[in-house]
Every structure is written in structure tokens, then in C-alpha cells.
Amino acid sequence: AKWELCKKEIDKTEDDIKVSENTKEDLDEKHLQLSNKIDQLNKEIAELKQEEEDMMVSLKQAGEQRKAQNEVYQTSVMDQRAVVNILNKALARLKQFYQPNAELVEVSAHEPNQPGFAVAPKPKSGKAY
């Protein structure tokens, strides 16, 4: 009877050892999977941080480019306004020169040489000699 009791306890202990070994193997496999997952996530985090840094640099460069382009645009607009102002002054001066008495000149509404108006009739031809 004692022999059988010892045999049962040994069998039970061996079964417990096998169950524990299987559990340990399962946990080791789970630990390896989780460690790999952590490594993968750490790599992805590092990649995302690098992408974020690259985007920030590109954003800053784009801002600087827009600022430079805006300066060029503003300069261009000011130059164009100055040219328009100069041309208007030149036009006024030319009007003064070519039409010095513009207020005194009367323009006939029916000038005979103006396009679109009827021409005077042809004069009679002279007598033959």
C-alpha cells in the first residue's frame, strides 16, 4: 500500500512537472512574442519621430520660401505701382505739351473729314475750252 501511495505521488508530481514545463514553454514563447512586438514598436516609434523631424524641417523651409517669395512679390508690386505713377506723370506732361490750350480748343461735332460722315457733293466739272 505504501508502495502504491508513493507511486501515485510520483506520478502526480511528474504530471505537475510536465504541466509546469508546458506552462513555462508557453510563457517563454509569449515573452518572446511580446519582446519582439516591443522591439518592432520601438523601431516604428523611432521612424515616426524621424519623419516628424523631417516634416518640421520641410515645414520651416516652406515657410522661409513663402517669406522670400512674398518679399519678391511685394517688391514687384511696389515697382509696378511706381512705373504706373511715372507713366501717368509722363502722360500728363505730354498732354500739357501737345495740348497746351486744351481748354480753348473747340471741336466741331460735324467735322467734314471725320470718318463716318457724309462727304460734300462733287463740284461741277468745268466747261470744255
Side-chain angles (χ1 to χ4, degrees):
K2 191 173 184 181
W3 169 257
E4 289 178 12
L5 182 64
C6 286
K7 185 82 168 156
K8 280 184 180 179
E9 285 183 18
I10 290 174
D11 285 344
K12 185 178 182 219
T13 304
E14 285 176 353
D15 289 343
D16 288 343
I17 290 173
K18 283 186 180 182
V19 168
S20 296
E21 285 177 355
N22 288 340
T23 304
K24 182 184 180 286
E25 288 174 6
D26 290 344
L27 291 175
D28 285 343
E29 185 177 327
K30 185 75 170 177
H31 179 264
L32 182 62
Q33 288 176 353
L34 291 174
S35 295
N36 289 340
K37 185 72 171 177
I38 289 172
D39 290 341
Q40 177 187 358
L41 291 175
N42 284 334
K43 287 179 185 176
E44 288 178 8
I45 288 172
E47 289 174 6
L48 290 173
K49 284 183 180 179
Q50 183 62 41
E51 286 178 15
E52 181 184 17
E53 289 176 19
D54 293 344
M55 285 184 202
M56 293 301 287
V57 167
S58 119
L59 182 65
K60 185 167 179 97
Q61 288 174 346
E64 291 171 358
Q65 287 175 350
R66 280 192 300 275
K67 184 177 179 184
Q69 289 172 347
N70 187 34
E71 288 175 6
V72 169
Y73 171 75
Q74 293 297 331
T75 303
S76 170
V77 168
M78 286 190 299
D79 290 348
Q80 289 173 359
R81 288 180 181 161
V83 167
V84 167
N85 191 15
I86 290 170
L87 288 175
N88 283 334
K89 287 180 182 179
L91 179 63
R93 186 73 177 136
L94 287 172
K95 283 182 180 179
Q96 285 178 353
F97 180 78
Y98 285 107
Q99 298 175 352
N101 297 323
E103 302 89 32
L104 302 177
V105 175
E106 289 185 25
V107 178
S108 172
H110 300 288
E111 279 188 24
N113 292 336
Q114 205 158 7
F117 288 100
V119 179
K122 186 175 182 181
K124 294 182 180 180
S125 49
K127 296 180 181 177
Y129 291 103

